[in-house]
Amino acid sequence: MSIFEYNGSAVVAMVGKNCFALASDRRLGVQLQTLATDFQKIYKIHDKLYVGLSGLATDAQTLYQRLVFRHKLYQLREERGIKPETFASLVSALLYEKRFGPYFCQPVIAGLGEDDKPFICTMDSIGAKELAKDFVVAGTASESLYGACESMYKPDMEPEELFETVSQALLASVDRDCLSGWGGHVFIVTPSQVIERTLKARMD
């Protein structure tokens, strides 16, 4: 068993028309034993920037605390919020710094940049970035997420349609993975608002 599969996770980010969706499952387990069904995997950096952390839950929480610290330092120095592209580079550098004893996390970064252009990206545990124009996935359910997103995604979706698409992709995928599931957590971020919703799923 890989250390990345110890707690189980499913995270997906998808781009719409001047908006993006970031969704995750809610299960925290130790291999096949479920410990919690309300575990947070998506974290807010600022109003238009979010990060989803899949992988080992303890490392995800530690990494989030370090990211908040680095973002606060950036805010103090620059006197503005960080751009998603810059934040992706910051996360990548932070992970690569620890490459000989890495954080066992695969971050998914999603944000609205200049002119409210959506930016999504994921990376491996040592910070190798993977940029995409449509969707990115991470976690133990990533293989089935790729398939579901590939078949359901279409460009320039409005927020409500994007929510429906990302939710259906997530729910279909976690049903095909033993280590993730127990509901979903979805954020839809537009230039004017953030919509947060909780999904009910199969409880097994």
Side-chain angles (χ1 to χ4, degrees):
M1 182 206 72
S2 158
I3 189 69
F4 292 97
E5 295 170 7
Y6 188 71
N7 297 121
S9 52
V11 183
V12 55
M14 199 177 272
V15 166
K17 190 177 182 183
N18 289 340
C19 61
F20 69 84
L22 186 57
S24 78
D25 71 315
R26 306 184 75 203
R27 179 182 182 270
L28 171 69
V30 170
Q31 296 178 49
L32 297 178
Q33 182 185 10
T34 301
L35 298 182
T37 58
D38 57 355
F39 189 68
Q40 185 183 358
K41 293 174 190 174
I42 297 173
Y43 302 96
K44 178 180 170 179
I45 303 299
H46 62 67
D47 288 340
K48 292 184 180 178
L49 179 61
Y50 288 77
V51 61
L53 297 172
S54 71
L56 192 64
T58 48
D59 276 7
Q61 290 175 324
T62 307
L63 183 58
Y64 169 63
Q65 287 168 352
R66 290 202 61 189
L67 293 176
V68 167
F69 169 68
R70 294 289 282 269
H71 178 243
K72 283 179 177 169
L73 284 182
Y74 182 92
Q75 271 184 316
L76 284 168
R77 192 172 58 239
E78 302 284 332
E79 297 181 357
R80 63 192 165 99
I82 195 166
K83 287 183 198 163
E85 294 85 350
T86 316
F87 184 71
S89 299
L90 186 152
V91 178
S92 180
L94 197 145
L95 290 171
Y96 192 67
E97 205 177 278
K98 290 268 189 288
R99 64 191 176 279
F100 298 117
Y103 291 113
F104 296 113
C105 282
Q106 291 172 298
V108 172
I109 295 156
L112 293 177
E114 285 173 343
D115 305 323
D116 295 318
K117 192 170 182 291
F119 169 88
I120 56 168
C121 127
T122 184
M123 56 192 77
D124 66 3
S125 58
I126 56 165
K129 280 191 279 191
E130 182 189 329
L131 305 168
K133 297 262 190 294
D134 45 11
F135 57 83
V136 289
V137 303
T140 50
S142 60
E143 286 183 15
S144 47
L145 273 166
Y146 268 122
C149 293
E150 204 72 67
S151 61
M152 294 181 192
Y153 176 82
K154 60 180 197 244
D156 294 329
M157 286 185 280
E158 294 296 332
E160 277 307 314
E161 191 184 359
L162 181 65
F163 165 72
E164 197 60 44
T165 305
V166 81
S167 301
Q168 292 293 350
L170 181 76
L171 293 176
S173 303
V174 297
D175 282 351
R176 289 162 177 78
D177 176 42
C178 301
L179 300 172
S180 58
W182 283 85
H185 204 177
V186 186
F187 286 83
I188 309 290
V189 181
T190 70
S192 57
Q193 63 175 345
V194 177
I195 305 161
E196 184 182 348
R197 291 186 180 139
T198 304
L199 306 176
K200 269 191 150 179
R202 282 178 55 145
M203 295 297 190
D204 61 357

